[in-house]
Amino acid sequence: MKKSPSSPFMLVAATPAPHGPFTPAPQYSHVYDGKRAPRTPNWNHHSDDKHWLVRTTSVMDEKHINTSDNIFEHRWETLLSVDDLVGDIIATLDDGKVLDNTYIIFASDHGFQLGQFCIPGDKREPYEHDIRIPLMIRGPKIPKNITLHQIALNIDIAPTIIAMSGQEAPDEMDGRSLTPLLFSSLNGTLSGNHDDEGGEWRNDFLIDYHGQGGGKCGLSACPPPPLDDFHVTDASNNTYTCLRTLSSSENAIYCEFTMTDYVEYYDLTEDPWQLKNTAKTASQQVIAKQKARLQQLRECSGPSCRN
């Protein structure tokens, strides 16, 4: 950028933090001493109606709770170094007089659980705390302090960057550019679940995960380490596909665990913390509709995933 400030450039900064082992920089190692993981309604909540890996996880005792709280505290402290990095990048762009002509995207690859459903810390479940990520975008023609409520996915980031460069994304990409939403929020043409061209935006999406596990116990490690020694909480039968629906009329998630034929369904309007699996008590017409749509998304590719 400094050698040729008029030439286009792209930088990807992928920090290890706040990934394990959650070791903060020395100057930040005690900033958040005593911070505790959020005590959400599903924190340390044992559920007998969840899939095998969750329902066989015991309620955390004091030792495991302290481990989870320490992870939370140290993750916050490592993020202070990420703040420093972001600040340095912004300052460099500003000094180079290209900040106002640069798009900046801030995102993550997954959420995290810290005691939810008794798991001290991990990222591999189909629940809201694991599947939601931050996504912030700034740059030319993008208005300030606007929150969009349409569904945006990590597979949309690449098509968005391509569109910002003035090119068209390859047709085989499953994601779609977010620029119609970003720019229509500026000119006032955004309406409901439509883009600036009046086209329908998605109201559901696929979640897909293949559980890590092997050996005689089927877990990621045999025997598994104690919970107070942070480790991957996973198993081969923690393999699932889910349909997440989010529209003006429906807010739900339907999951099929493919190795066990186990099903979970939650109406998040009624049960935002996913405390009670209603797959067996919900309308079977609703379940059948969810199942059919999930199969469609399993089989889609390219344009058929975007419609």
Side-chain angles (χ1 to χ4, degrees):
M1 183 191 75
K2 291 180 179 180
K3 292 181 180 179
S4 182
S6 62
S7 298
F9 66 91
M10 179 175 174
L11 168 70
V12 177
T15 67
H19 201 278
F22 321 112
T23 305
Q27 68 270 28
Y28 297 134
S29 60
H30 296 289
V31 171
Y32 293 119
D33 279 358
K35 274 284 183 183
R36 302 195 311 168
R39 270 42 174 178
T40 58
N42 54 7
W43 180 85
N44 210 18
H45 176 84
H46 184 266
S47 292
D48 290 326
D49 59 7
K50 303 267 186 299
H51 64 282
W52 180 86
L53 186 64
V54 173
R55 70 174 179 263
T56 58
T57 300
S58 301
V59 172
M60 298 186 297
D61 60 18
E62 183 177 1
K63 187 175 184 180
H64 300 147
I65 290 172
N66 289 338
T67 297
S68 184
D69 286 340
N70 286 336
I71 292 172
F72 178 77
E73 173 192 320
H74 293 154
R75 278 165 57 88
W76 268 36
E77 290 168 347
T78 64
L79 282 173
L80 293 173
S81 295
V82 177
D83 286 346
D84 291 342
L85 173 64
V86 172
D88 289 344
I89 292 173
I90 297 294
T92 300
L93 294 170
D94 197 25
D95 291 343
K97 302 187 185 308
V98 294
L99 179 60
D100 292 338
N101 194 37
T102 301
Y103 291 105
I104 300 174
I105 301 173
F106 182 90
S108 183
D109 55 346
H110 56 75
F112 208 72
Q113 57 205 56
L114 289 151
Q116 283 71 36
F117 299 123
C118 307
I119 297 177
D122 207 23
K123 59 188 181 184
R124 302 162 202 274
E125 300 303 326
Y127 307 118
E128 291 290 280
H129 45 261
D130 281 3
I131 67 173
R132 285 183 174 266
I133 63 169
L135 177 59
M136 292 171 276
I137 305 178
R138 76 177 302 278
K141 298 183 179 180
I142 298 178
K144 297 179 181 179
N145 302 319
I146 296 293
T147 299
L148 300 179
H149 298 284
Q150 286 78 9
I151 296 172
L153 307 177
N154 52 14
I155 59 173
D156 296 332
I157 293 176
T160 300
I161 293 172
I162 294 172
M164 287 173 170
S165 70
Q167 307 297 314
E168 290 190 11
D171 202 42
E172 62 266 21
M173 281 190 166
D174 293 344
R176 60 193 298 185
S177 171
L178 299 172
T179 53
L181 298 180
L182 297 172
F183 299 146
S184 60
S185 64
L186 174 67
N187 59 36
T189 60
L190 186 64
S191 176
N193 207 37
H194 295 76
D195 59 27
D196 62 348
E197 298 175 349
E200 284 283 345
W201 197 257
R202 68 167 70 90
N203 57 25
D204 58 19
F205 60 93
L206 175 72
I207 304 166
D208 191 4
Y209 179 69
H210 194 282
Q212 295 175 293
K216 294 181 179 179
C217 69
L219 300 172
S220 54
C222 300
L227 285 177
D228 53 300
D229 176 15
F230 177 78
H231 65 285
V232 173
T233 305
D234 206 356
S236 55
N237 63 11
N238 189 38
T239 297
Y240 54 81
T241 53
C242 301
L243 174 69
R244 179 70 172 94
T245 306
L246 188 59
S247 69
S248 58
S249 60
E250 187 176 4
N251 181 14
I253 185 168
Y254 169 84
C255 297
E256 294 181 355
F257 292 80
T258 53
M259 293 184 66
T260 59
D261 293 327
Y262 201 78
V263 175
E264 295 188 23
Y265 175 75
Y266 304 92
D267 180 337
L268 278 83
T269 300
E270 299 294 330
D271 182 15
W273 300 102
Q274 296 164 287
L275 298 175
K276 185 174 179 57
N277 176 15
T278 59
K280 294 182 178 179
T281 58
S283 162
Q284 291 310 295
Q285 185 177 4
V286 169
I287 297 298
K289 180 181 176 182
Q290 301 277 322
K291 184 180 183 68
R293 178 57 178 158
L294 176 59
Q295 187 60 29
Q296 287 180 336
L297 290 179
R298 282 195 189 110
E299 298 173 352
C300 74
S301 177
S304 62
C305 295
R306 300 194 291 270
N307 296 329

